[in-house]
PDB file of all heavy atoms in Angstrom:
ATOM      1  N   ALA B 820       2.548  43.697 -41.787  1.00  0.00           N
ATOM      2  CA  ALA B 820       3.426  44.864 -41.730  1.00  0.00           C
ATOM      3  C   ALA B 820       4.825  44.494 -42.203  1.00  0.00           C
ATOM      4  O   ALA B 820       5.219  43.325 -42.193  1.00  0.00           O
ATOM      5  CB  ALA B 820       3.475  45.438 -40.313  1.00  0.00           C
ATOM      6  N   LEU B 821       5.579  45.514 -42.577  1.00  0.00           N
ATOM      7  CA  LEU B 821       6.904  45.332 -43.176  1.00  0.00           C
ATOM      8  C   LEU B 821       7.869  46.355 -42.591  1.00  0.00           C
ATOM      9  O   LEU B 821       7.490  47.510 -42.359  1.00  0.00           O
ATOM     10  CB  LEU B 821       6.767  45.562 -44.689  1.00  0.00           C
ATOM     11  CG  LEU B 821       8.003  45.692 -45.576  1.00  0.00           C
ATOM     12  CD1 LEU B 821       8.741  44.358 -45.653  1.00  0.00           C
ATOM     13  CD2 LEU B 821       7.577  46.138 -46.969  1.00  0.00           C
ATOM     14  N   THR B 822       9.090  45.939 -42.339  1.00  0.00           N
ATOM     15  CA  THR B 822      10.106  46.879 -41.924  1.00  0.00           C
ATOM     16  C   THR B 822      11.420  46.488 -42.580  1.00  0.00           C
ATOM     17  O   THR B 822      11.632  45.330 -42.903  1.00  0.00           O
ATOM     18  CB  THR B 822      10.238  46.944 -40.394  1.00  0.00           C
ATOM     19  OG1 THR B 822      11.162  47.969 -40.037  1.00  0.00           O
ATOM     20  CG2 THR B 822      10.749  45.641 -39.812  1.00  0.00           C
ATOM     21  N   ARG B 823      12.284  47.473 -42.760  1.00  0.00           N
ATOM     22  CA  ARG B 823      13.538  47.203 -43.449  1.00  0.00           C
ATOM     23  C   ARG B 823      14.599  46.747 -42.470  1.00  0.00           C
ATOM     24  O   ARG B 823      14.406  46.796 -41.261  1.00  0.00           O
ATOM     25  CB  ARG B 823      13.996  48.457 -44.185  1.00  0.00           C
ATOM     26  CG  ARG B 823      14.185  49.663 -43.299  1.00  0.00           C
ATOM     27  CD  ARG B 823      14.394  50.888 -44.163  1.00  0.00           C
ATOM     28  NE  ARG B 823      15.556  50.702 -45.019  1.00  0.00           N
ATOM     29  CZ  ARG B 823      16.522  51.589 -45.172  1.00  0.00           C
ATOM     30  NH1 ARG B 823      16.449  52.738 -44.536  1.00  0.00           N
ATOM     31  NH2 ARG B 823      17.536  51.369 -45.972  1.00  0.00           N
ATOM     32  N   ASN B 824      15.690  46.304 -43.028  1.00  0.00           N
ATOM     33  CA  ASN B 824      16.878  45.930 -42.264  1.00  0.00           C
ATOM     34  C   ASN B 824      16.569  44.883 -41.210  1.00  0.00           C
ATOM     35  O   ASN B 824      16.038  43.837 -41.501  1.00  0.00           O
ATOM     36  CB  ASN B 824      17.543  47.174 -41.652  1.00  0.00           C
ATOM     37  CG  ASN B 824      18.121  48.062 -42.720  1.00  0.00           C
ATOM     38  OD1 ASN B 824      18.509  47.590 -43.796  1.00  0.00           O
ATOM     39  ND2 ASN B 824      18.156  49.346 -42.463  1.00  0.00           N
ATOM     40  N   PHE B 825      16.896  45.187 -39.967  1.00  0.00           N
ATOM     41  CA  PHE B 825      16.838  44.156 -38.952  1.00  0.00           C
ATOM     42  C   PHE B 825      15.543  44.126 -38.158  1.00  0.00           C
ATOM     43  O   PHE B 825      15.449  43.461 -37.160  1.00  0.00           O
ATOM     44  CB  PHE B 825      18.032  44.320 -38.008  1.00  0.00           C
ATOM     45  CG  PHE B 825      19.330  44.205 -38.735  1.00  0.00           C
ATOM     46  CD1 PHE B 825      20.094  45.323 -39.003  1.00  0.00           C
ATOM     47  CD2 PHE B 825      19.764  42.982 -39.189  1.00  0.00           C
ATOM     48  CE1 PHE B 825      21.290  45.220 -39.696  1.00  0.00           C
ATOM     49  CE2 PHE B 825      20.959  42.862 -39.890  1.00  0.00           C
ATOM     50  CZ  PHE B 825      21.720  43.991 -40.134  1.00  0.00           C
ATOM     51  N   GLY B 826      14.573  44.838 -38.598  1.00  0.00           N
ATOM     52  CA  GLY B 826      13.261  44.724 -37.990  1.00  0.00           C
ATOM     53  C   GLY B 826      12.999  45.688 -36.866  1.00  0.00           C
ATOM     54  O   GLY B 826      11.917  45.681 -36.304  1.00  0.00           O
ATOM     55  N   ASN B 827      13.964  46.541 -36.518  1.00  0.00           N
ATOM     56  CA  ASN B 827      13.727  47.436 -35.394  1.00  0.00           C
ATOM     57  C   ASN B 827      13.552  48.875 -35.846  1.00  0.00           C
ATOM     58  O   ASN B 827      13.865  49.802 -35.124  1.00  0.00           O
ATOM     59  CB  ASN B 827      14.867  47.337 -34.384  1.00  0.00           C
ATOM     60  CG  ASN B 827      16.214  47.639 -35.011  1.00  0.00           C
ATOM     61  OD1 ASN B 827      16.332  47.721 -36.222  1.00  0.00           O
ATOM     62  ND2 ASN B 827      17.211  47.824 -34.185  1.00  0.00           N
ATOM     63  N   GLU B 828      13.058  49.027 -37.040  1.00  0.00           N
ATOM     64  CA  GLU B 828      12.745  50.359 -37.542  1.00  0.00           C
ATOM     65  C   GLU B 828      11.229  50.476 -37.724  1.00  0.00           C
ATOM     66  O   GLU B 828      10.472  49.625 -37.281  1.00  0.00           O
ATOM     67  CB  GLU B 828      13.511  50.606 -38.839  1.00  0.00           C
ATOM     68  CG  GLU B 828      15.023  50.558 -38.627  1.00  0.00           C
ATOM     69  CD  GLU B 828      15.796  50.929 -39.871  1.00  0.00           C
ATOM     70  OE1 GLU B 828      15.240  51.587 -40.762  1.00  0.00           O
ATOM     71  OE2 GLU B 828      16.978  50.557 -39.935  1.00  0.00           O
ATOM     72  N   LYS B 829      10.808  51.537 -38.367  1.00  0.00           N
ATOM     73  CA  LYS B 829       9.369  51.781 -38.454  1.00  0.00           C
ATOM     74  C   LYS B 829       8.662  50.679 -39.229  1.00  0.00           C
ATOM     75  O   LYS B 829       9.188  50.115 -40.178  1.00  0.00           O
ATOM     76  CB  LYS B 829       9.112  53.124 -39.139  1.00  0.00           C
ATOM     77  CG  LYS B 829       9.596  53.156 -40.576  1.00  0.00           C
ATOM     78  CD  LYS B 829       9.368  54.513 -41.194  1.00  0.00           C
ATOM     79  CE  LYS B 829       9.851  54.530 -42.642  1.00  0.00           C
ATOM     80  NZ  LYS B 829       9.731  55.859 -43.251  1.00  0.00           N
ATOM     81  N   LEU B 830       7.466  50.390 -38.806  1.00  0.00           N
ATOM     82  CA  LEU B 830       6.612  49.421 -39.480  1.00  0.00           C
ATOM     83  C   LEU B 830       5.740  50.124 -40.512  1.00  0.00           C
ATOM     84  O   LEU B 830       5.177  51.178 -40.236  1.00  0.00           O
ATOM     85  CB  LEU B 830       5.715  48.712 -38.463  1.00  0.00           C
ATOM     86  CG  LEU B 830       6.392  47.718 -37.517  1.00  0.00           C
ATOM     87  CD1 LEU B 830       5.481  47.396 -36.354  1.00  0.00           C
ATOM     88  CD2 LEU B 830       6.759  46.444 -38.259  1.00  0.00           C
ATOM     89  N   THR B 831       5.646  49.496 -41.676  1.00  0.00           N
ATOM     90  CA  THR B 831       4.676  49.931 -42.681  1.00  0.00           C
ATOM     91  C   THR B 831       3.561  48.904 -42.691  1.00  0.00           C
ATOM     92  O   THR B 831       3.803  47.721 -42.978  1.00  0.00           O
ATOM     93  CB  THR B 831       5.327  50.022 -44.070  1.00  0.00           C
ATOM     94  OG1 THR B 831       6.380  50.988 -44.040  1.00  0.00           O
ATOM     95  CG2 THR B 831       4.296  50.426 -45.118  1.00  0.00           C
ATOM     96  N   PHE B 832       2.361  49.352 -42.354  1.00  0.00           N
ATOM     97  CA  PHE B 832       1.227  48.442 -42.217  1.00  0.00           C
ATOM     98  C   PHE B 832       0.373  48.434 -43.477  1.00  0.00           C
ATOM     99  O   PHE B 832       0.276  49.427 -44.200  1.00  0.00           O
ATOM    100  CB  PHE B 832       0.336  48.890 -41.054  1.00  0.00           C
ATOM    101  CG  PHE B 832       0.868  48.574 -39.691  1.00  0.00           C
ATOM    102  CD1 PHE B 832       1.747  49.447 -39.058  1.00  0.00           C
ATOM    103  CD2 PHE B 832       0.484  47.422 -39.028  1.00  0.00           C
ATOM    104  CE1 PHE B 832       2.241  49.165 -37.790  1.00  0.00           C
ATOM    105  CE2 PHE B 832       0.969  47.127 -37.766  1.00  0.00           C
ATOM    106  CZ  PHE B 832       1.840  47.999 -37.143  1.00  0.00           C
ATOM    107  N   GLY B 833      -0.310  47.312 -43.675  1.00  0.00           N
ATOM    108  CA  GLY B 833      -1.400  47.261 -44.639  1.00  0.00           C
ATOM    109  C   GLY B 833      -2.649  47.857 -44.014  1.00  0.00           C
ATOM    110  O   GLY B 833      -2.642  48.286 -42.857  1.00  0.00           O
ATOM    111  N   THR B 834      -3.722  47.846 -44.782  1.00  0.00           N
ATOM    112  CA  THR B 834      -4.966  48.439 -44.286  1.00  0.00           C
ATOM    113  C   THR B 834      -5.780  47.481 -43.438  1.00  0.00           C
ATOM    114  O   THR B 834      -6.806  47.857 -42.879  1.00  0.00           O
ATOM    115  CB  THR B 834      -5.833  48.937 -45.454  1.00  0.00           C
ATOM    116  OG1 THR B 834      -5.968  47.875 -46.403  1.00  0.00           O
ATOM    117  CG2 THR B 834      -5.192  50.146 -46.130  1.00  0.00           C
ATOM    118  N   GLY B 835      -5.330  46.251 -43.336  1.00  0.00           N
ATOM    119  CA  GLY B 835      -5.983  45.306 -42.445  1.00  0.00           C
ATOM    120  C   GLY B 835      -7.114  44.520 -43.094  1.00  0.00           C
ATOM    121  O   GLY B 835      -7.729  44.953 -44.074  1.00  0.00           O
ATOM    122  N   THR B 836      -7.361  43.344 -42.538  1.00  0.00           N
ATOM    123  CA  THR B 836      -8.493  42.495 -42.932  1.00  0.00           C
ATOM    124  C   THR B 836      -9.329  42.228 -41.700  1.00  0.00           C
ATOM    125  O   THR B 836      -8.816  41.715 -40.704  1.00  0.00           O
ATOM    126  CB  THR B 836      -8.019  41.158 -43.527  1.00  0.00           C
ATOM    127  OG1 THR B 836      -7.265  41.402 -44.705  1.00  0.00           O
ATOM    128  CG2 THR B 836      -9.219  40.270 -43.844  1.00  0.00           C
ATOM    129  N   ARG B 837     -10.607  42.597 -41.778  1.00  0.00           N
ATOM    130  CA  ARG B 837     -11.509  42.341 -40.650  1.00  0.00           C
ATOM    131  C   ARG B 837     -12.072  40.931 -40.803  1.00  0.00           C
ATOM    132  O   ARG B 837     -12.777  40.640 -41.768  1.00  0.00           O
ATOM    133  CB  ARG B 837     -12.642  43.362 -40.609  1.00  0.00           C
ATOM    134  CG  ARG B 837     -13.620  43.123 -39.451  1.00  0.00           C
ATOM    135  CD  ARG B 837     -14.677  44.210 -39.378  1.00  0.00           C
ATOM    136  NE  ARG B 837     -14.076  45.525 -39.128  1.00  0.00           N
ATOM    137  CZ  ARG B 837     -13.727  45.953 -37.936  1.00  0.00           C
ATOM    138  NH1 ARG B 837     -13.923  45.206 -36.860  1.00  0.00           N
ATOM    139  NH2 ARG B 837     -13.208  47.164 -37.801  1.00  0.00           N
ATOM    140  N   LEU B 838     -11.758  40.084 -39.849  1.00  0.00           N
ATOM    141  CA  LEU B 838     -12.208  38.691 -39.873  1.00  0.00           C
ATOM    142  C   LEU B 838     -13.319  38.505 -38.854  1.00  0.00           C
ATOM    143  O   LEU B 838     -13.147  38.834 -37.678  1.00  0.00           O
ATOM    144  CB  LEU B 838     -11.041  37.759 -39.547  1.00  0.00           C
ATOM    145  CG  LEU B 838     -11.374  36.274 -39.434  1.00  0.00           C
ATOM    146  CD1 LEU B 838     -11.859  35.724 -40.780  1.00  0.00           C
ATOM    147  CD2 LEU B 838     -10.163  35.484 -38.952  1.00  0.00           C
ATOM    148  N   THR B 839     -14.428  37.985 -39.317  1.00  0.00           N
ATOM    149  CA  THR B 839     -15.559  37.684 -38.438  1.00  0.00           C
ATOM    150  C   THR B 839     -15.821  36.199 -38.491  1.00  0.00           C
ATOM    151  O   THR B 839     -16.028  35.631 -39.575  1.00  0.00           O
ATOM    152  CB  THR B 839     -16.816  38.450 -38.855  1.00  0.00           C
ATOM    153  OG1 THR B 839     -16.539  39.856 -38.817  1.00  0.00           O
ATOM    154  CG2 THR B 839     -17.971  38.136 -37.910  1.00  0.00           C
TER     155      THR B 839
END
Side-chain angles (χ1 to χ4, degrees):
Chain B
L821 169 68
T822 185
R823 58 190 301 228
N824 293 332
F825 300 105
N827 57 349
E828 298 185 21
K829 64 182 180 184
L830 289 165
T831 299
F832 284 86
T834 51
T836 298
R837 179 176 298 278
L838 176 64
T839 301

